Amino acid sequence: MSDETRSTNDPVEEAFKNLHKGLIAVFLLFLSIGLVTFFTLPQGASHQETLAKAQQYIDKDQGYLALPYFKKAVALDGSSLDLVLKTYQRCRIYGDKDEEKYLALIKAKDEKLGKLIEELAAYDDKGPRAFDKVIETAPKVLALRPNYAQAHALLGAHYLRDQKPEKAKAHIDKGLKDYPDSPALHTELAMLELVTNPSSDKVSEHFRRALLSHPTYRPALGGYLRYCTDTNRHEELITFLKERLQQHPQDVQAVVNLSLALRNSGKEQEGLLLLQEELAKTKGTDLLAHKRKRYLRPRLFQLLMTMEKWEEALALANEVIKEITVTPTDSKIAREQIKETLACLRYLKANAENCPRKHYSSLMTRSLKMDKAQRALKTFVLKNQQK
């Protein structure tokens, strides 16, 4: 018998081996308990700290900065349906990619509520043509979750358009208890003030609060621009847009809106220089550059024609034609070029007949060239989509 065989049959040695294994198992057990305790206990504190951080941004009406902290809080402790609902609503209004993830969590916790919220969102996405369904579904959601902000915002908008401001105000106030920095609710409050007290400074205040929470929220941005323009608050709008560009220097829509505000306040030259400087900074031939040009050049073209700078307008038209007649290699860029061309065409056809005679035929010739190039690009895009 070999030494190896003898050693395996030695009862004393086997006992020591078993004792050794047992001690290792006990050590690993206590180690695992320690690790679980180490990571679990701080999570409770971290969860509260995360929510406290989110609350700091909510108190400043900077909801878009609070969203990551809501997500983190759910990741640390997703047991609260209320927290998941708040996170879902924020994802939805900011167009966040995780919207469906949090909707699934709601369904897992309350299937009936989750399905109703999903229906409400689907009807809301369809816009005014599905508003009857929204009005039918929102009360069902509120029957299960009385403070659900999205339902209150939609009902508030309905009653406001139905000329029932008192009912609209009641829903908006209830919604703000659940979502105090909601851009949708603050936009509705601004619209409510416009109906009940149009001269109130609260109109601007609520539009601004909505835009603090969601800097690119279109209903608030569009509403505030129209309000300032219609009430001749040009300087207020110019100040707001300049502040916005300091915070978001790549916001091309703010550049365009600022040029419009400057024109409306009699500062056309300043608006013109702004657009020219932004175009000069827009380099490259990638999709992002084309998107910026699509916003900037038609607005510049319009301003040049308004200011009767015909030579510069012709030069810009030539620049557009030169780019769009080169066959693009990317259909997304082609679509951007089509949109830009159509915008330039609108201004050309609307203003060309007001030009001096010597420029009229040149502009109309360019108009036809742009029209032809635009049709060619449409054909190119359709072919690319069919492949």
Side-chain angles (χ1 to χ4, degrees):
M1 185 181 290
S2 67
D3 290 339
E4 184 180 342
T5 307
R6 278 199 307 273
S7 66
T8 56
N9 293 332
D10 189 333
V12 176
E13 190 172 344
E14 286 295 320
F16 273 110
K17 279 186 179 180
N18 290 334
L19 178 63
H20 181 64
K21 288 177 182 176
L23 288 171
I24 291 174
V26 171
F27 172 77
L28 290 173
L29 176 63
F30 277 103
L31 179 63
S32 63
I33 292 171
L35 287 171
V36 170
T37 305
F38 176 80
F39 286 108
T40 303
L41 287 179
Q43 274 190 354
S46 179
H47 176 74
Q48 295 304 320
E49 288 169 6
T50 303
L51 287 177
K53 188 68 176 175
Q55 188 61 47
Q56 288 177 15
Y57 287 117
I58 291 170
D59 292 341
K60 297 176 185 176
D61 286 325
Q62 294 178 316
Y64 70 104
L65 294 175
L67 177 57
Y69 294 96
F70 274 96
K71 286 185 173 185
K72 185 178 179 183
V74 172
L76 292 169
D77 182 3
S79 60
S80 168
L81 175 58
D82 185 59
L83 177 59
V84 177
L85 281 166
K86 288 180 178 179
T87 308
Y88 165 75
Q89 288 186 92
R90 289 171 184 277
C91 283
R92 175 160 176 75
I93 204 155
Y94 297 123
D96 189 90
K97 60 182 177 62
D98 289 332
E99 177 186 335
E100 292 299 323
K101 169 186 169 182
Y102 293 104
L103 179 61
L105 286 174
I106 294 168
K107 286 182 180 178
K109 294 176 183 297
D110 189 328
E111 187 176 0
K112 184 179 179 182
L113 176 64
K115 286 184 176 178
L116 283 171
I117 285 174
E118 186 175 29
E119 282 180 29
L120 186 65
Y123 294 140
D124 183 27
D125 287 340
K126 290 180 180 177
R129 66 181 184 275
F131 215 71
D132 289 343
K133 291 289 185 181
V134 169
I135 303 311
E136 182 184 320
T137 309
K140 294 178 183 178
V141 174
L142 293 175
L144 297 174
R145 208 73 187 177
N147 288 329
Y148 187 66
Q150 185 191 11
H152 283 300
L154 291 168
L155 288 172
H158 164 69
Y159 285 121
L160 189 58
R161 287 156 181 75
D162 209 26
Q163 298 184 355
K164 296 177 181 177
E166 290 182 2
K167 285 189 174 183
K169 182 72 161 59
H171 278 290
I172 292 167
D173 287 344
K174 287 178 183 177
L176 285 170
K177 290 179 181 177
D178 181 53
Y179 193 166
D181 56 314
S182 165
L185 288 165
H186 281 291
T187 301
E188 292 303 329
L189 267 180
M191 301 304 292
L192 183 65
E193 286 291 334
L194 269 174
V195 171
T196 57
N197 190 10
S199 60
S200 171
D201 288 337
K202 287 186 177 179
V203 178
S204 288
E205 178 188 331
H206 288 301
F207 275 134
R208 282 173 172 268
R209 288 188 71 177
L211 290 166
L212 269 174
S213 183
H214 188 343
T216 57
Y217 189 57
R218 287 187 178 184
L221 187 57
Y224 187 47
L225 291 171
R226 284 193 301 273
Y227 168 69
C228 288
T229 303
D230 293 345
T231 56
N232 295 320
R233 294 172 177 252
H234 303 305
E235 292 304 321
E236 177 185 328
L237 183 58
I238 288 168
T239 301
F240 166 75
L241 290 168
K242 284 183 176 179
E243 289 172 355
R244 185 181 180 86
L245 280 171
Q246 285 179 349
Q247 297 169 357
H248 309 280
Q250 297 302 314
D251 188 349
V252 67
Q253 193 63 58
V255 174
V256 171
N257 289 328
L258 179 55
S259 72
L260 282 168
L262 288 166
R263 186 202 68 179
N264 292 337
S265 65
K267 300 175 182 176
E268 290 180 331
Q269 190 61 35
E270 188 179 341
L272 182 66
L273 289 172
L274 172 69
L275 291 170
Q276 288 172 334
E277 287 171 5
E278 287 297 322
L279 261 176
K281 290 190 288 186
T282 305
K283 306 293 184 182
T285 57
D286 59 351
L287 184 59
L288 183 60
H290 278 283
K291 282 187 174 181
R292 286 187 68 81
K293 288 177 183 177
R294 190 244 294 180
Y295 281 103
L296 293 169
R297 286 202 295 202
R299 174 70 198 112
L300 177 58
F301 193 88
Q302 181 193 33
L303 192 54
L304 287 169
M305 297 196 77
T306 302
M307 295 172 72
E308 299 186 357
K309 292 180 177 287
W310 310 115
E311 295 292 348
E312 291 179 54
L314 285 169
L316 185 60
N318 279 330
E319 185 182 333
V320 174
I321 291 166
K322 185 178 177 181
E323 283 193 17
I324 65 175
T325 50
V326 176
T327 304
T329 56
D330 185 286
S331 60
K332 288 183 179 178
I333 289 177
R335 280 194 288 272
E336 294 302 317
Q337 290 179 322
I338 288 170
K339 290 175 184 175
E340 180 188 358
T341 310
L342 286 170
C344 287
L345 275 170
R346 283 197 298 272
Y347 300 136
L348 265 172
K349 291 175 178 177
N351 294 287
E353 61 185 20
N354 299 321
C355 303
R357 285 185 176 276
K358 65 178 180 178
H359 293 301
Y360 181 81
S361 60
S362 294
L363 277 170
M364 293 317 293
T365 301
R366 282 157 181 75
S367 175
L368 292 171
K369 284 183 180 178
M370 292 168 75
D371 208 356
K372 185 178 179 181
Q374 168 253 324
R375 287 198 301 272
L377 285 170
K378 274 188 177 178
T379 304
F380 172 80
V381 172
L382 287 171
K383 284 180 179 177
N384 271 267
Q385 288 173 340
Q386 291 168 1
K387 286 181 181 180

